Amino acid sequence: MGKGKAKAKQVKGKLKETAGGALGDERMQAEGRGEQMTGKAQETAAKAAERLKKSGQ
């Protein structure tokens, strides 16, 4: 997964968390936080893969 898709997942998670808060839906909030964390991890992995490619590995 590329950095762009990972960022999109983070944004989607933030929107879901915010909507859950507005609706009083704790489960939706938790799902949103989970999506944000997944997106951050995927973004970190994509950055690491780019660094490896640049270093010639």
Side-chain angles (χ1 to χ4, degrees), residues 10-33 36:
Q10 290 177 51
V11 170
K12 180 183 170 192
K14 184 63 178 174
L15 289 171
K16 189 180 263 189
E17 180 184 10
T18 302
L23 297 171
D25 188 338
E26 292 180 16
R27 182 177 179 181
M28 185 184 284
Q29 284 181 296
E31 287 175 6
R33 285 190 296 270
Q36 288 177 70

Side-chain angles (χ1 to χ4, degrees), residues 3 6 10 37-51:
K3 287 192 300 182
Q10 290 177 51
M37 287 188 281
T38 300
K40 287 178 185 178
Q42 290 170 341
E43 182 181 13
T44 301
K47 285 180 182 179
E50 284 180 11
R51 286 190 194 117

